[in-house]
Amino acid sequence: MAVSLSSSSTITPITLQPRLKPIHAIGTVNFGYSFNSHGISLRRSAVVASAITGASGTETADLLETVKVSDLNGNEIPISDLWKDRKAVVAFARHFGCVLCRKRAAYLAEKKDVMDASGVTLVLIGPGSIDQAKTFVEQTKFEGEVYADPNHASYEALKFASGVSVTFTPKAAMKIIESYMEGYRQDWKLSFMKDTVERGGWQQGGIVVAGPGKDNISYIRKDKEAGDDPPVEEILKACCA
């Protein structure tokens, strides 16, 4: 069937807006499709990078309800107490010997003055023993609070990635080389301790911004692979804007 259009004919643009499509461990991408006289165009609007709000935040808080971590004195603390009465940026390390985690700790600590000015506490949690956590603090001089999660309970509750395929990647290899060139070092003794070896060292981490209030989890970013650090500006926007 043929269709003819006169020179005076016009085509009214039509915009279709499909439903939001969640992408595992990244966030939400909003795609729009436009039809006009020049054809079809695809545009991608703002990406809310790994932020969670509303019911999702409450669901995450529920998953963490029974999780406890240990401070450097060996005291067990419900993880939600870390942000119950304050806002906190909580960084989850791969393990305490990890060179990439030491770089993450440093790049967050560089912005601690901004967090302090906004009344935000910087926290780091690692899957390992209290002794490993103490060694990490001694070696890195990390100025935030440090807690140990010997049972990986928080990592399992948050469903952080784990496995060989997300540990040994081309990007991770480049990040390790960059870290060594910048002066960071892996602690191989910590890396091969029983707590780490039993898990294979394949655990990935992430970053959470939460509080005040146990259920008030406003941002969570799950690393897709080793060394998958978000831009620090994204974290500051989530915690200190």
Side-chain angles (χ1 to χ4, degrees):
M1 179 176 66
V3 177
S4 62
L5 295 174
S6 68
S7 58
S8 60
S9 299
T10 59
I11 298 176
T12 302
I14 301 173
T15 299
L16 300 180
Q17 189 67 53
R19 297 174 62 187
L20 297 180
K21 298 181 179 181
I23 297 179
H24 178 65
I26 297 179
T28 302
V29 182
N30 187 5
F31 288 98
Y33 304 85
S34 295
F35 294 80
N36 52 44
S37 58
H38 300 291
I40 303 173
S41 64
L42 170 66
R43 70 180 187 279
R44 183 173 66 182
S45 58
V47 177
V48 183
S50 305
I52 59 171
T53 56
S56 295
T58 301
E59 290 168 6
T60 302
D62 290 343
L63 292 172
L64 294 169
E65 182 65 30
T66 60
V67 172
K68 293 184 178 181
V69 293
S70 298
D71 66 18
L72 298 182
N73 295 317
N75 301 309
E76 283 195 338
I77 301 168
I79 192 170
S80 58
D81 280 7
L82 299 180
W83 57 78
K84 179 178 66 175
D85 300 315
R86 60 187 184 179
K87 178 171 276 192
V89 172
V90 185
F92 291 82
R94 290 188 57 247
H95 59 82
F96 285 116
C98 172
V99 62
L100 298 174
C101 303
R102 289 163 183 244
K103 182 174 181 177
R104 170 173 288 184
Y107 103 111
L108 289 174
E110 287 176 358
K111 299 299 181 181
K112 190 174 182 297
D113 57 338
V114 178
M115 298 180 196
D116 289 344
S118 299
V120 177
T121 303
L122 177 58
V123 176
L124 184 140
I125 295 174
S129 68
I130 297 167
D131 286 340
Q132 287 176 319
K134 288 180 178 179
T135 301
F136 174 87
V137 173
E138 291 169 0
Q139 292 176 341
T140 64
K141 311 302 180 188
F142 183 69
E143 295 181 358
E145 298 178 11
V146 176
Y147 297 86
D149 183 358
N151 300 316
H152 293 222
S154 60
Y155 291 76
E156 292 173 357
L158 290 166
K159 297 180 172 62
F160 283 138
S162 182
V164 176
S165 63
V166 292
T167 302
F168 296 115
T169 69
K171 278 188 179 180
M174 290 303 299
K175 289 284 186 71
I176 291 172
I177 293 171
E178 290 172 5
S179 298
Y180 265 80
M181 291 178 67
E182 292 168 8
Y184 299 99
R185 293 293 181 266
Q186 182 101 358
D187 186 309
W188 294 106
K189 183 178 179 181
L190 287 182
S191 300
F192 283 101
M193 281 187 171
K194 182 179 179 180
D195 307 75
T196 304
V197 173
E198 282 185 347
R199 297 275 182 157
W202 316 135
Q203 180 66 61
Q204 307 305 315
I207 295 178
V208 167
V209 176
K214 288 186 174 184
D215 296 339
N216 185 15
I217 300 176
S218 55
Y219 172 95
I220 177 169
R221 188 181 196 282
K222 301 179 182 183
D223 297 345
K224 299 186 293 293
E225 58 186 335
D228 182 28
D229 293 318
V232 71
E233 294 78 13
E234 181 179 303
I235 300 168
L236 293 177
K237 183 178 180 181
C239 73
C240 305

